[in-house]
Amino acid sequence: MKPQSKPIAIGCDHAGVAFKNEIIAFLKQNNVAVDDCGCYNNDSVDYPDIAEAVCKKINNGTSDKAILICGTGIGISMSANKIKGIRAALCHDYFSAKYTRLHNDANVICFGARVIGTGLACELVDIFLTEEFEGGRHAARVEKLMNLQNK
Ligand code: RB5
């Protein structure tokens, strides 16, 4: 795992607590600092609240990258992408996790805890935290993408 300059912010709703704990253990084993924004038990919570708490860590400079988890990964990724400055990618395969960094400069990766296993998710986290944005022709596209948040 590539060393990270800032802690990785992570959060989940009630569907993803055990899943999140396994991702946190994987990150710690690889000497990556983690900022766990909850939730911490199976009591029902609303995924937009978790997305907001985690994405705030990126927007206030505490973290450069974050991980979000809900049952499908859909609600929490939709929520994150409503927040200015956030490029959240729902990735359940190797190719998407790699190319969302190379081409989209994604700063949040999202998972569905009811969709994939944690073994695969840990591999995808590793790719996500290792690959770098390619820039070049993708830079103007990402700029256009970010301008959509002002429409
Ligand atoms: C919670 O039951 C579930 O709806 C949520 O985790 C997520 O799958 C929503 O997109």
Side-chain angles (χ1 to χ4, degrees):
M1 171 87 66
K2 189 173 163 189
Q4 304 294 310
S5 55
K6 293 183 180 178
I8 302 304
I10 188 166
C12 66
D13 74 358
H14 52 281
V17 177
F19 190 101
K20 171 169 66 86
N21 289 339
E22 289 197 42
I23 302 287
I24 290 172
F26 171 75
L27 290 168
K28 289 184 173 170
Q29 278 160 19
N30 285 279
N31 301 309
V32 174
V34 177
D35 185 354
D36 184 358
C37 303
C39 67
Y40 306 105
N41 59 45
N42 296 333
D43 295 347
S44 186
V45 293
D46 297 331
Y47 53 79
D49 296 332
I50 302 297
E52 183 179 1
V54 167
C55 294
K56 188 179 280 182
K57 303 287 183 161
I58 292 181
N59 284 335
N60 71 16
T62 308
S63 296
D64 291 328
K65 296 205 184 81
I67 301 166
L68 285 170
I69 303 147
C70 70
T72 58
I74 296 171
I76 209 148
S77 58
M78 285 180 161
S79 303
N81 279 316
K82 295 282 182 191
I83 299 171
K84 278 200 171 193
I86 299 304
R87 292 177 300 280
L90 174 59
C91 296
H92 290 151
D93 67 279
Y94 178 96
F95 187 87
S96 301
K98 178 174 177 177
Y99 281 90
T100 200
R101 287 290 307 126
L102 267 56
H103 291 182
N104 313 127
D105 199 16
N107 50 13
V108 180
I109 191 166
C110 304
F111 299 121
R114 295 171 178 158
V115 181
I116 62 167
T118 52
L120 174 56
C122 289
E123 295 290 317
L124 300 180
V125 165
D126 194 350
I127 297 162
F128 180 74
L129 298 181
T130 299
E131 297 292 345
E132 298 285 353
F133 181 48
E134 275 181 355
R137 71 187 192 280
H138 303 293
R141 293 168 184 162
V142 170
E143 194 183 332
K144 278 192 180 180
L145 162 66
M146 297 319 284
N147 285 339
L148 292 174
Q149 65 196 2
N150 303 315
K151 305 250 179 204

